[in-house]
Amino acid sequence: GAGVSQSPSNKVTEKGKDVELRCDPISGHTALYWYRQSLGQGLEFLIYFQGNSAPDKSGLPSDRFSAERTGGSVSTLTIQRTQQEDSAVYLCASSLSGGALYEQFFGPGTRLTVL
Amino acid sequence: KQEVTQIPAALSVPEGENLVLNCSFTDSAIYNLQWFRQDPGKGLTSLLLIQSSQREQTSGRLNASLDKSSGRSTLYIAASQPGDSATYLCAVMSSGGSNYKLTFGKGTLLTVNP
């Protein structure tokens, strides 16, 4: 079946602009994660959604970052007033459910470049 | 705070060689450990998932071991091939939290030369 998909695959924006990144999880997966992969920093957790529960936002680096998940499926990560340090690859992952038993499956990522 | 370290950062081997990639983590209170492969410009492909109660998992030429008490895991690749060239990432899911996030190492860049 289809894996996790993300769009756009690449995004170039100017400093100060807002951007929206989209993630389509695997159908039927109730858990969804956003991670960020920066040069030299490795992969860092941003936010976690499980079903209709309130998301765990503990990894978001600033209040310029927000995410929502509509209908328990598609998720959008929004970065307001982008800064150059936001340049990174943003990866989305989904799993059948939240919990230790379930593998996380990753999408191809969105490469964000802030000029 | 959980920290994951991978050694070596880069490894270059001739085709056919067996090799070991190392991963260590500071907090042994984990649910599981997962090994991923990342090709340039691509997302992550899950290779093996080891639950905290398990000692090892095998898939084809790959074997991953877990020693939770000492905070270590190894990924063994047998009879390496040029197609194995990629970055290998180790990630742990710590227990005690409610978000089931993965904490990643910075990866080992593997090059297998024909």
Side-chain angles (χ1 to χ4, degrees):
Chain A
V4 178
S5 60
Q6 293 186 244
S7 60
S9 55
N10 280 285
K11 176 73 177 177
V12 180
T13 190
E14 293 178 348
K15 179 181 170 181
K17 295 282 179 72
D18 298 351
V19 295
E20 282 190 355
L21 313 178
R22 177 187 168 107
C23 171
D24 280 88
I26 293 171
S27 178
H29 281 197
T30 63
L32 186 148
Y33 304 78
W34 284 97
Y35 294 86
R36 176 170 74 171
Q37 187 172 31
S38 308
L39 205 59
Q41 290 281 58
L43 267 148
E44 302 170 297
F45 164 79
L46 296 177
I47 189 168
Y48 162 64
F49 295 88
Q50 170 54 44
N52 296 319
S53 302
D56 184 319
K57 307 178 184 179
S58 58
L60 294 178
S62 79
D63 58 8
R64 296 186 295 104
F65 288 71
S66 62
E68 61 178 25
R69 189 177 185 195
T70 53
S73 182
V74 171
S75 177
T76 302
L77 177 69
T78 300
I79 309 173
Q80 295 179 309
R81 305 181 303 282
T82 51
Q83 303 294 313
Q84 287 182 331
E85 62 263 27
D86 299 334
S87 295
V89 177
Y90 289 81
L91 291 161
C92 175
S94 71
S95 62
L96 191 59
S97 180
L101 296 178
Y102 305 103
E103 277 182 82
Q104 295 182 23
F105 295 88
F106 282 75
T110 293
R111 181 174 296 277
L112 174 66
T113 304
V114 182
L115 301 176
Chain B
K1 178 187 171 190
Q2 179 73 269
E3 292 182 2
V4 180
T5 303
Q6 291 188 246
I7 294 173
L11 181 63
S12 181
V13 301
E15 182 176 4
E17 220 174 77
N18 303 326
L19 59 100
V20 174
L21 307 181
N22 296 291
C23 172
S24 61
F25 45 96
T26 54
D27 186 349
S28 62
I30 64 168
Y31 286 129
N32 62 48
L33 182 145
Q34 204 165 347
W35 282 93
F36 293 88
R37 168 188 173 132
Q38 186 172 33
D39 293 280
K42 302 289 174 80
L44 277 62
T45 301
S46 178
L47 298 173
L48 290 163
L49 169 67
I50 312 177
Q51 299 293 344
S52 61
S53 58
Q54 298 174 322
R55 299 286 289 188
E56 65 177 341
Q57 282 284 346
T58 298
S59 176
R61 293 182 295 109
L62 305 180
N63 176 276
S65 69
L66 173 64
D67 185 341
K68 195 177 82 158
S69 60
S70 68
R72 295 179 189 274
S73 175
T74 60
L75 179 66
Y76 175 82
I77 303 177
S80 58
Q81 302 171 357
D84 295 331
S85 298
T87 296
Y88 289 80
L89 294 161
C90 166
V92 299
M93 182 184 289
S94 299
S95 58
S98 59
N99 58 24
Y100 305 108
K101 69 178 184 183
L102 294 174
T103 303
F104 285 84
K106 293 192 177 178
T108 294
L109 176 61
L110 174 65
T111 303
V112 181
N113 301 300

